[in-house]
Amino acid sequence: MKRRNFLQLAGASAALALFHGHSTAAPAGNHRKVHAITGTWFEFQHHSEVEGTYWNPALAAFTADDWEAKVAEIAGTGIRYLVLLDVAIYGKSFYPSALLPQHALTDNDPLETVLSATDKHQLRVFMSNGFFGDWRNPAFLMQDKDIHLLRVRAMEELTGKYGHHPSFYGWYYPNETGINGHFDDNFIQYVNKCSLEAHRLTPRAKTLIAPYGTRNVAADDGYVAQLDRLDVDFIAYQDEIGVQKTRVDESTAIFEKLHRLHRKSGRNELWADVEVFAFEGEVYRSALLPAAPERVLAQLGALAELVEQVFIYQYTGMINRPGSPVTIGYRGQHDLYTALTEAGWLKRR
């Protein structure tokens, strides 16, 4: 992931409007105002050791009590959805599995712990169905028949072990694509094959993807036709501010375009995946840190009138409630928590 520091907004009035959670452009059609962060991704281990420098050791050491406390903290902010990025990586699982050896974690079954805690706090969890194989080669993972078979067996295993939890709300497909005008056909096939299994195993479950390449979406009927073909309930587009592919002042126009396309299709809800991190140094080659609060507030304001839900990547590691007994990550997380609660994007507990 790459992150660019907030450089400029189009004039002082635009900056003021964005910082107060308002878009400077008129919304594309009648739409409700969103002014809350409703979901966040989380992980048991960040997939990049470099990017996860300040969180991975703490996450590995989390006890069941720690996970329960962190879920309670997140629930106290008003966030209602958690998205698990992955249930396995580098050939090992994060839960007791008959399919793969298990990562060494202090909590032997953190997935059970989190789901039990989210049951208690009435949160909704999107269960990941990856990463099986090398996550750095998503095109291969989407097309390889053996990987797909392992993915299906894992979905069956996860449903059998955890499907009884009320908080098991849906599935997240983490092998994301980069949009280049349109979705690659192999990605559409991957999503639809995953959804076929999701419907078979968990008929009431919702489905979520979070593609990148957001700025590159073609505003044409071909893209609308692809939305119609995608068997997925929610598409949370990465705003790509953190990975420095898009500037904050470009975000409103990009999501206005997406809003029009999704309204024309009507098949999938338009959500946002707002990147609340910055890189300590070189993009993709350094640790992730909490982004400057003013940049994050501007990001949120830029798309608030255009999406149905605002998710962030991610609370764990980037945001901590002051005084929390389970603070993880680098300095700055308390500043971001305070700014978001004062602006009303998160509830103050």
Side-chain angles (χ1 to χ4, degrees), residues 128-251:
S128 175
N129 73 342
F131 293 114
F132 299 98
D134 186 352
W135 66 273
R136 292 161 294 195
N137 190 0
F140 173 77
L141 300 187
M142 292 178 195
Q143 299 175 63
D144 185 80
K145 293 180 180 179
D146 291 336
I147 293 294
H148 179 67
L149 178 60
L150 179 57
R151 185 183 300 122
V152 171
R153 292 175 64 194
M155 292 176 74
E156 292 171 341
E157 184 176 62
L158 289 162
T159 302
K161 290 177 70 69
Y162 307 109
H164 64 283
H165 284 280
S167 57
F168 191 145
Y169 176 72
W171 294 94
Y172 166 60
Y173 311 146
N175 293 312
E176 297 295 357
T177 190
I179 302 170
N180 185 16
H182 300 89
F183 290 107
D184 185 270
D185 281 342
N186 288 323
F187 177 73
I188 296 177
Q189 293 173 26
Y190 155 74
V191 169
N192 290 351
K193 286 192 295 184
C194 287
S195 289
L196 182 66
E197 298 304 326
H199 300 328
R200 175 178 68 88
L201 294 166
T202 52
R204 296 181 180 180
K206 299 297 186 180
T207 52
L208 169 69
I209 57 174
Y212 59 97
T214 305
R215 65 179 298 113
N216 301 322
V217 169
D220 59 24
D221 289 341
Y223 191 83
V224 174
Q226 289 194 320
L227 292 177
D228 291 341
R229 289 173 54 201
L230 271 170
D231 184 12
V232 68
D233 294 300
F234 313 123
I235 304 180
Y237 294 85
Q238 299 176 29
D239 75 347
E240 299 190 303
I241 305 300
V243 293
Q244 301 183 18
K245 294 178 182 177
T246 296
R247 299 191 314 272
V248 176
D249 62 307
E250 298 175 303
S251 191

Side-chain angles (χ1 to χ4, degrees), residues 15-270:
L16 180 62
L18 284 172
F19 290 164
H20 284 278
H22 296 282
S23 169
T24 57
N30 296 326
H31 195 72
R32 64 184 178 84
K33 173 76 173 173
V34 176
H35 195 90
I37 295 169
T38 49
T40 179
W41 270 259
F42 77 102
E43 300 162 276
F44 298 121
Q45 172 188 312
H46 188 63
H47 48 283
S48 165
E49 289 187 5
V50 173
E51 291 181 13
T53 295
Y54 298 115
W55 345 331
N56 277 349
L59 289 177
F62 257 31
T63 64
D65 288 344
D66 291 333
W67 278 115
E68 290 168 3
K70 183 55 73 175
V71 170
E73 177 186 325
I74 293 172
T77 67
I79 286 174
R80 308 317 304 161
Y81 298 91
L82 297 183
V83 184
L84 178 57
L85 183 71
D86 52 358
V87 292
I89 199 166
Y90 303 124
K92 294 183 178 181
S93 69
F94 293 114
Y95 67 97
S97 172
L99 305 174
L100 296 172
Q102 190 175 351
H103 286 282
L105 302 173
T106 299
D107 185 350
N108 184 60
D109 193 350
L111 189 46
E112 174 63 33
T113 301
V114 167
L115 287 167
S116 294
T118 50
D119 288 347
K120 177 180 177 181
H121 293 282
Q122 298 182 323
L123 302 184
R124 294 173 169 180
V125 176
F126 285 95
M127 180 73 71
S128 175
N129 73 342
F131 293 114
F132 299 98
D134 186 352
W135 66 273
R136 292 161 294 195
N137 190 0
F140 173 77
L141 300 187
M142 292 178 195
Q143 299 175 63
D144 185 80
K145 293 180 180 179
D146 291 336
I147 293 294
H148 179 67
L149 178 60
L150 179 57
R151 185 183 300 122
V152 171
R153 292 175 64 194
M155 292 176 74
E156 292 171 341
E157 184 176 62
L158 289 162
T159 302
K161 290 177 70 69
Y162 307 109
H164 64 283
H165 284 280
S167 57
F168 191 145
Y169 176 72
W171 294 94
Y172 166 60
Y173 311 146
N175 293 312
E176 297 295 357
T177 190
I179 302 170
N180 185 16
H182 300 89
F183 290 107
D184 185 270
D185 281 342
N186 288 323
F187 177 73
I188 296 177
Q189 293 173 26
Y190 155 74
V191 169
N192 290 351
K193 286 192 295 184
C194 287
S195 289
L196 182 66
E197 298 304 326
H199 300 328
R200 175 178 68 88
L201 294 166
T202 52
R204 296 181 180 180
K206 299 297 186 180
T207 52
L208 169 69
I209 57 174
Y212 59 97
T214 305
R215 65 179 298 113
N216 301 322
V217 169
D220 59 24
D221 289 341
Y223 191 83
V224 174
Q226 289 194 320
L227 292 177
D228 291 341
R229 289 173 54 201
L230 271 170
D231 184 12
V232 68
D233 294 300
F234 313 123
I235 304 180
Y237 294 85
Q238 299 176 29
D239 75 347
E240 299 190 303
I241 305 300
V243 293
Q244 301 183 18
K245 294 178 182 177
T246 296
R247 299 191 314 272
V248 176
D249 62 307
E250 298 175 303
S251 191
T252 296
I254 292 169
F255 276 85
E256 282 182 333
K257 175 175 63 176
L258 291 168
H259 181 70
R260 290 191 294 269
L261 293 166
H262 275 258
R263 281 175 62 91
K264 191 169 185 178
S265 169
R267 174 70 187 271
N268 345 85
E269 280 193 17
L270 170 60

